[in-house]
Each structure stands twice: as structure tokens, then as C-alpha cells.
Amino acid sequence: MRTAGFTESTWGAGFVLVASVLWGTTGTAATFAPDVSPLAIGAVAMGLGGLLQAAVAAGQIGVFAAALRRQWPTVALGSLAVATYPLAFYSSMHLAGVAVGTVVSIGSAPLASAVIERVVDKSLFTRRWAAGAVLGLSGAALLCFADAGHGGSGPTAAGGWSTPAGIGLGLVAGLTYALYSWAAHRLINTGVPSRAVMGTVFGIGGLLLMPVLVITGAPLVASWQNMAVGVYMALVPMFAGYVLFGWGLARVRASAATTISLAETLVAAVLAVLVVGERLPALAWAGAALVTGSLFVLTLPAPAKRYGPAAPADGPDGTSAADRLNLGGKSPGTLALSPAVNTADAGDEIRGILMNGADPGQSPR
């Protein structure tokens, strides 16, 4: 994966971005199965997709089973969040419309993720993340307001209570998305490969969703079109998308990953126009432009300059100040961050370590 001009954090951002594009197709895909409930759509998508991830990663899960068992509270929290997220997300889109449901669910996740990291991991808010989050959330808000001004796009959007209920469920979806992203990132930081982590967390989450699928999934087999929608949702956005997301979480912080995933709102809005036939006003396109701008802020390589405390002088052992800044005073290959690196932006934080010999498949911390 090492290519001239690209760092591990850039690859990680790219993986998350591609995953977000795939996720952005789910709302539009669900409209092709109008007889299937949002609970069934969520259960088949995340449930079967999670079980597929577990099957593919079975070998690595067995190898790292002991390490995963030692972290069982984090595994349990992540798995419960995985099972809750699709039920809240697709119900939010059903009640408030595709655009509003997607924007609220995905748009609230970066803030929730950053707060979780700040409270639990004591991670500092970074300048690049703050700039990207402001642009992305502003764009998401414009998309939401523009859609609301047109009466919503969902079949029940005019139902009075349905839009507030959909927004509330969207906030639940954003929180659970942030929770399982943080849990997966934390497990990867213990040295467990991303494939084993994602297979375990999403596999258990998929098992938890199976009763919901059994109860609500009959319409999925009522027609070939409904079945095709279910298969697509499970294989492409959920299975392939979350494999890519796991690779990304091994290279960038959860708060950066959830902010980059704001691209999902842009993709959903464009597909709503091109495929579903919705019409977006100028305000919505302005919001889409801001979301795009946030992605450039978060994914483009940053200049070498750091904004942390002044670099100390060269050490008595001859180690340069730059080396000690990047390596936290450790020898090359040691995964430690200095306070200066912790105040850098999310992309620079990962880049400073991984470009000094860290295994790209291992934890960025």
C-alpha cells in the first residue's frame, strides 16, 4: 500500500471515503423495495453483511480470540451499537425522508465520536478536524433545511410527528455509529488486525439482528426485486463498505473517519436527484459544496509544519529534535505519541508515526 506521495493516513482516508460512497447508495436502494419495512432492510443489510465479515475473518478471529476476550466490554459495546444502528438509521429515513434521515444520522456522528474520544481517551480536539467538522456539519445542516423547506422526501414526511421522530432516531443512529467506530478503533489499537476486529464486532452484531430479520423479513422473499435489494445491501455497502471502513480505522482516528463519512450525505443527495427524481434547491447544492470542502480539508496531505509546542533542541544522544518529536522520544518503530503530535491534526497524528516504520496493519497509536 505504500506509494510515493501517499501516506498511510491518506490511504486510510481514501478507504473511508470509498466506503462512504457505497453507504450513500443505501437510501436510494431501499426505495426499490417499498413493501419492505425499514427494520427488515436494516436487519438484512447489517445482519447478513456482518455475518459475512465474520465468515471471511474466521481464521484471524480464532488466532486473536484470547486478545478479543480480554477486551470483551469493548467488543460487547461495539456489537450492540452495530445491531442498533441500522434499525435507527433506516427507520429515520423512512420517517423523515432519505435526505434528512441520512444527514442527521451521519452528520451527528462526528461530534459524538469526538466527544467520546475526548471523554474516554482524553484526545484533544484538533484544528484540522474542527475545520472539517464545521464545514461538513454546516453543509449537512443546509441539506437538511433545504429538504425540510420542500416538505421532506419521505412517504410520511407530512405526518406531523414523523419528521421529529425521524430526526430523533437519526441522532440515535449517529451516536451508535460513533460508538462502534470508536470501539473498533480501540480494539485495533490493541494490536488485533482490523479484519479480526470488524469480523468479531459485526459478526456478533449480525447475530443480534437475526431475530429482527426472522420477524420482519418475509417481504424480502416476496419478489425478486425485493430479494435483489436485500442482497445488494448486504454484499456491497455493508460487507464491502465495512471492510474498507475497517482498513481506514486502522490508519485514522475514529473522529476523522466519521467526519470523512459525511460524504455519504452528498452521495445520497445526488442519487436522490438522479435516480429517485427528487429536486434539490440551490441551498441544498450549497450544502453539498460545503460537505465536499470538508473532505478536501480532511483528506489532502498537510504541510510539514506542526502547530504543537516548540520543538526541543537536539538530545544529548544525538537524536534530532524532529525525530524525537515524531517518535515521542522513542526509538524508530515504537508506537508512542508526544504531546506535540497529540495537538496536531488527525491526519498528521497518524502520519507522524506510520511514516517512521510502523506496520500499516497495526494500531496507529
Side-chain angles (χ1 to χ4, degrees):
M1 288 296 179
R2 293 179 182 266
T3 304
F6 289 89
T7 65
E8 288 295 329
S9 61
T10 303
W11 279 112
F15 292 144
V16 174
L17 184 57
V18 175
S20 302
V21 172
L22 296 180
W23 296 337
T25 68
T26 58
T28 296
T31 64
F32 287 95
D35 298 330
V36 182
S37 73
L39 297 181
I41 288 289
V44 72
M46 194 73 92
L48 294 186
L51 293 179
L52 282 172
Q53 287 200 57
V56 170
Q60 282 197 349
I61 292 173
V63 172
F64 292 91
L68 290 166
R69 280 195 296 270
R70 287 194 295 270
Q71 301 292 327
W72 70 265
T74 305
V75 172
L77 178 63
S79 300
L80 183 61
V82 164
T84 305
Y85 168 75
L87 306 181
F89 178 54
Y90 290 104
S91 295
S92 174
M93 288 194 295
H94 178 75
L95 292 172
V98 172
V100 172
T102 303
V103 164
V104 174
S105 300
I106 306 305
S108 61
L111 292 180
S113 183
V115 170
I116 291 169
E117 288 182 352
R118 182 69 182 95
V119 172
V120 180
D121 298 332
K122 310 302 180 184
S123 298
L124 298 178
F125 296 122
T126 61
R127 296 181 180 184
R128 175 179 282 203
W129 175 86
V134 167
L135 285 174
L137 292 175
S138 298
L142 288 180
L143 282 169
C144 187
F145 292 147
D147 185 83
H150 277 62
S153 57
T156 60
W161 61 270
S162 61
T163 297
I167 291 173
L169 286 170
L171 293 175
V172 173
L175 174 61
T176 52
Y177 175 28
L179 277 174
Y180 72 67
S181 299
W182 171 83
H185 182 75
R186 188 180 183 90
L187 291 168
I188 291 170
N189 278 354
T190 66
V192 181
S194 64
R195 181 188 296 180
V197 168
M198 300 298 281
T200 300
V201 171
F202 280 77
I204 297 174
L207 286 175
L208 294 175
L209 285 167
M210 287 300 101
V212 178
L213 182 59
V214 170
I215 295 171
T216 64
L220 284 165
V221 295
S223 72
W224 285 108
Q225 181 167 315
N226 290 352
M227 188 178 299
V229 169
V231 170
Y232 169 80
M233 299 278 272
L235 291 181
V236 181
M238 295 305 157
F239 174 65
Y242 278 103
V243 168
L244 291 169
F245 189 64
W247 292 348
L249 280 176
R251 294 161 171 84
V252 297
R253 285 169 53 178
S255 57
T258 52
T259 305
I260 293 168
S261 66
L262 287 169
E264 180 177 346
T265 64
L266 176 60
V267 175
V270 170
L271 289 179
V273 172
L274 298 180
V275 180
V276 181
E278 295 181 2
R279 296 178 63 85
L280 295 180
L283 190 64
W285 289 114
L290 288 178
V291 172
T292 304
S294 75
L295 299 177
F296 277 101
V297 170
L298 289 164
T299 59
L300 288 181
K305 181 180 178 180
R306 297 187 181 276
Y307 296 93
D314 290 353
D317 59 353
T319 304
S320 71
D323 286 342
R324 290 189 292 116
L325 181 63
N326 284 339
L327 298 173
K330 308 293 184 179
S331 61
T334 301
L335 298 183
L337 284 174
S338 71
V341 177
N342 283 333
T343 61
D345 59 76
D348 285 346
E349 175 183 345
I350 309 301
R351 183 179 299 110
I353 296 177
L354 291 177
M355 292 302 289
N356 284 277
D359 183 352
Q362 298 298 316
S363 159
R365 288 180 180 270

